[in-house]
Amino acid sequence: MIAQETADIYAPLANRLGISWVKSELEDLALSYLEPENYKDLARKVAQHRRRTEPYVTDVKKRLEAILNEHDIEGQVQGRFKHISSVHTKIAKQKIEFEQIHDLIAFRIIVPTVRDCYAMLGAIHSSWKPVPGRFKDFIAMPKANMYQSLHTTVFGPAGQRMEVQIRTAEMHRVAEQGIAAHWKYKEGKAASRTDEGRFDWLRQMLEWQKELKDSSEFMSSVKVDLFPEEVYVFTPNGDVKELPRQSTPIDFAYSVHSDVGHRCTGAKVNGRLVPLRTELKNGDIVEIITSANQTPSKDWLKFVKTSKAKNRIRNWVKEQERQQSLELGHNLLEKELRKYGFSYNRAANLDTVKGALSELGFRTFEDLQAAVGYGKVTCNQVLSRLIPEQFKAEAPKPSRISQVLGKIARKPDEAIKVQGQDGILVRFSKCCNPLPGDEVVGFISQGLGVTVHAADCPRVLESDPERRIEVSWTRQKGATRPVKIRVYSVDQKGILAAITKVITKCEANILRASVYSTGDGRGIHSFEVDIQDVQHLNRVVEAVQKIKGVLQVERVRFGRKG
């Protein structure tokens, strides 16, 4: 819908460009189509309020003009009413009724110089009591769209709250016409670094459009950047960085430079070390600690706020996942191709490649290789289209040389070998937590390589058979895996000490333990223990089972998904 698109994109974009009259008009028009009944009701109430308060507005304008004359300052005073969309937003955000809005009217004072702005502010605060926490200095700390003004709310005549904005004529021109007005004014002159910086966000937006292939992801980034609600923080050198509210040190690091964000290991805020998910506040001095060995974490995406940080982290994660998937896809395809007497390089140059890519919907053979690694496409799907018909009749056995080379190949460092291949990204499932000695099966997980499950794991039995892959254990001396066991016993003195003593005697390290009584004279003891393999686990279980007072010992399996 055009109205929704206007509210989501074009009105915020006008705001980001500093063109306030366009922003307000677009918001009002969008609201009139999105919520016509609500819009008509608010328009009627605002018009009634305007008629009732006209004498009040005239009186306040005269008083403000008198203050200007008293302090010998030339200036203009304007009274304005909130736009209907602004009233609607305030009602929705604060969950209040129309009658509870006390700042429907704002007064604007336009003076010649910045010094006059602050002089007028002091004069107004001398005449009327300011509302605590309602003063904002956008002259010293301009908004990203170059908006500058002093904002204060005071208890005006008859004790009514009123907002006063004080700015120079140049500030007013930029506020009304936006960044373009300032740029046109500077036309023909060399742009300063400050002026250039004001367009950084626009350049970033254009860069994201090129980088992000997914249009919905780009729109999401744009929306984040168009609604900043700024917080101002400082570098140790005193440079100001403007960030969205709830931004973290990670956002700050990426605002300095992408490499600083990628290498961020910690942060100091106001001289104290803080967690990377700490929310920054106005006036914080932020120092980033970096390391050449650090890389971005996917978990950072859970708390970063800026589009730049999110996009840089996502791009890095995607690149890493793609590299892992390319490696896995290469190894899986190479293994299957050998059965037909083909090397990977030879297969990649077959005449059948173009047809296979077209049929499976990929642009390059590398994309197809990555899809195999992701688990989006199976080796059988690729080979059925890639291998020429004359080679499909019978898959030849590996040559004698290949068998010998396989036997003398280096011993793998991993506990799991995938279809006889070493060096493939492997992780163990947390839902069934397999041990060496258990029958296992691999499952190709998108972006995560191969996940190893117990062969009887319910999750694998329900999964797509095409994504299962043969895996096997390798021998690793001294390697252990955590296993959970549960012991049911009589609730008697010394039973816990006896159980832990026996587990330790079986050379199994206890990582965690919890014990509770069932209230009927029995106890349940849960342990997480480092175990080498199934035989080692069986020894531990048998030894604990022999303890006097122990009723049952079981291995805890098929827990949460992993």
Side-chain angles (χ1 to χ4, degrees):
M1 183 187 278
I2 294 173
Q4 190 64 59
E5 190 175 290
T6 299
D8 288 346
I9 301 297
Y10 300 118
L13 187 57
N15 179 56
R16 201 71 164 89
L17 290 168
I19 315 170
S20 59
W21 70 271
V22 173
K23 174 233 180 198
S24 300
E25 191 169 323
L26 288 176
E27 285 178 339
D28 282 358
L29 282 169
L31 183 63
S32 70
Y33 283 94
L34 293 170
E35 300 183 42
E37 294 303 319
N38 203 359
Y39 178 84
K40 288 176 186 176
D41 182 53
L42 284 176
R44 178 179 54 80
K45 289 178 178 177
V46 169
Q48 288 174 350
H49 183 80
R50 186 192 296 264
R51 286 193 295 271
R52 284 198 309 269
T53 55
E54 274 181 2
Y56 173 81
V57 172
T58 302
D59 178 50
V60 172
K61 285 175 69 176
K62 286 179 180 177
R63 294 191 186 206
L64 289 171
E65 286 167 353
I67 293 173
L68 282 168
N69 292 330
E70 185 184 335
H71 290 79
D72 197 24
I73 300 172
E74 293 182 11
Q76 294 176 290
V77 179
Q78 301 172 351
R80 65 178 187 87
F81 287 82
K82 275 187 180 291
H83 285 267
I84 295 167
S85 56
S86 298
V87 175
H88 175 265
T89 301
K90 188 156 192 172
I91 289 172
K93 273 189 177 180
Q94 299 185 9
K95 296 181 180 178
I96 57 176
E97 298 297 326
F98 178 84
E99 291 71 25
Q100 294 174 277
I101 300 176
H102 302 296
D103 57 351
L104 281 169
I105 308 166
F107 295 90
R108 186 176 294 143
I109 304 171
I110 302 170
V111 294
T113 68
V114 172
R115 178 178 290 181
D116 293 334
C117 290
Y118 288 102
M120 196 61 191
L121 175 70
I124 290 170
H125 283 181
S126 298
S127 301
W128 294 300
K129 187 176 180 181
V131 177
R134 297 286 296 171
F135 168 65
K136 292 179 181 177
D137 187 346
F138 293 118
I139 292 178
M141 304 281 276
K143 290 188 177 184
N145 59 12
M146 293 180 58
Y147 177 86
Q148 288 184 288
S149 190
L150 297 178
H151 288 201
T152 186
T153 302
V154 297
F155 293 102
Q160 290 194 40
R161 286 189 181 193
M162 65 179 196
E163 183 186 9
V164 183
Q165 300 172 358
I166 311 167
R167 61 181 70 150
T168 66
E170 169 63 12
M171 293 173 191
H172 182 62
R173 190 169 64 84
V174 172
E176 291 299 302
Q177 300 175 33
I179 290 175
H182 176 81
W183 202 255
K184 187 176 180 182
Y185 175 75
K186 301 280 283 189
E187 203 169 29
K189 302 177 185 178
S192 67
R193 288 182 63 186
T194 304
D195 291 331
E196 291 282 358
R198 284 161 176 159
F199 282 87
D200 280 349
W201 68 273
L202 193 55
R203 291 194 188 92
Q204 284 177 5
M205 201 178 294
L206 294 172
E207 285 176 18
W208 299 332
Q209 189 179 24
K210 294 174 185 175
E211 291 174 6
L212 301 177
K213 297 176 182 177
D214 186 348
S215 59
S216 61
E217 195 174 331
F218 170 70
M219 292 305 290
S220 175
S221 297
V222 170
K223 285 182 182 181
V224 168
D225 205 56
L226 290 177
F227 296 96
E229 289 191 37
E230 302 88 352
V231 59
Y232 297 94
V233 295
F234 297 88
T235 68
N237 295 330
D239 295 329
V240 181
K241 290 288 179 183
E242 179 192 359
L243 300 168
R245 293 223 174 259
Q246 300 181 323
S247 288
T248 65
I250 294 290
D251 294 294
F252 178 89
Y254 277 100
S255 75
V256 175
H257 196 279
S258 293
D259 286 342
V260 176
H262 284 348
R263 305 300 177 196
C264 177
T265 58
K268 288 182 180 180
V269 174
N270 303 323
R272 296 177 61 185
L273 280 169
V274 297
L276 290 177
R277 59 172 63 242
T278 302
E279 288 186 12
L280 300 177
K281 296 180 174 59
N282 272 324
D284 282 344
I285 300 171
V286 187
E287 181 183 351
I288 300 299
I289 302 166
T290 61
S291 168
N293 299 321
Q294 177 66 16
T295 56
S297 167
K298 196 172 183 178
D299 290 338
W300 290 356
L301 290 170
K302 296 175 183 176
F303 55 82
V304 294
K305 296 297 177 185
T306 59
S307 296
K308 182 174 182 179
K310 286 181 179 179
N311 289 325
R312 293 293 183 267
I313 296 165
R314 281 197 195 107
N315 287 343
W316 190 91
V317 170
K318 282 181 181 178
E319 182 57 30
Q320 296 306 303
E321 288 180 351
R322 180 173 173 81
Q323 291 305 318
Q324 291 165 0
S325 297
L326 282 170
E327 183 180 351
L328 177 57
H330 183 283
N331 290 335
L332 294 177
L333 285 170
E334 192 169 47
K335 174 73 175 177
E336 292 302 310
L337 285 164
R338 281 179 190 161
K339 295 177 182 178
Y340 296 91
F342 282 87
S343 68
Y344 177 87
N345 290 335
R346 182 186 170 195
N349 292 293
L350 286 170
D351 293 336
T352 53
V353 168
K354 191 173 181 180
L357 292 175
S358 175
E359 202 171 331
L360 293 170
F362 294 97
R363 192 169 54 85
T364 66
F365 196 75
E366 190 179 77
D367 291 339
L368 178 60
Q369 175 186 324
V372 172
Y374 272 123
K376 293 179 180 177
V377 178
T378 66
C379 285
N380 287 339
Q381 287 176 302
V382 177
L383 267 58
S384 65
R385 294 163 174 81
L386 192 64
I387 300 298
E389 288 298 328
Q390 64 266 32
F391 293 94
K392 289 181 180 178
E394 184 181 351
K397 295 180 180 179
S399 66
R400 179 64 182 164
I401 295 175
S402 298
Q403 292 176 3
V404 173
L405 287 173
K407 289 179 181 179
I408 65 173
R410 65 176 180 85
K411 292 183 179 179
D413 296 325
E414 297 86 357
I416 284 287
K417 186 177 275 191
V418 179
Q419 283 197 350
Q421 296 292 313
D422 302 329
I424 293 175
L425 180 67
V426 171
R427 69 185 189 115
F428 291 94
S429 169
K430 293 176 183 175
C431 58
C432 54
N433 201 21
L435 264 181
D438 286 330
E439 284 190 40
V440 286
V441 63
F443 183 79
I444 300 177
S445 303
Q446 186 168 331
L448 296 172
V450 173
T451 304
V452 178
H453 292 260
D456 58 347
C457 175
R459 191 174 176 210
V460 167
L461 295 175
E462 296 168 3
S463 69
D464 179 2
E466 288 289 328
R467 291 173 66 181
R468 295 178 203 166
I469 189 170
E470 179 188 332
V471 295
S472 59
W473 295 101
T474 61
R475 294 191 175 275
Q476 274 190 310
K477 286 190 177 181
T480 59
R481 288 190 49 71
V483 175
K484 292 179 181 177
I485 60 173
R486 190 175 292 133
V487 181
Y488 300 87
S489 73
V490 176
D491 188 5
Q492 65 185 30
K493 187 177 180 180
I495 189 74
L496 176 60
I499 295 171
T500 55
K501 184 178 179 181
V502 165
I503 292 174
T504 305
K505 195 173 181 180
C506 290
E507 298 182 348
N509 183 38
I510 299 173
L511 303 174
R512 291 183 184 83
S514 64
V515 182
Y516 70 92
S517 174
T518 60
D520 59 355
R522 299 194 176 191
I524 299 177
H525 314 255
S526 297
F527 299 93
E528 187 172 345
V529 186
D530 261 342
I531 297 294
Q532 293 174 10
D533 51 31
V534 171
Q535 290 73 26
H536 187 198
L537 176 64
N538 290 339
R539 290 201 305 273
V540 172
V541 170
E542 289 170 8
V544 174
Q545 190 73 64
K546 291 177 182 177
I547 299 171
K548 186 177 180 181
V550 169
L551 305 172
Q552 182 185 350
V553 185
E554 65 180 15
R555 175 183 174 185
V556 181
R557 299 181 68 198
F558 309 131
R560 66 187 181 87
K561 290 182 179 182

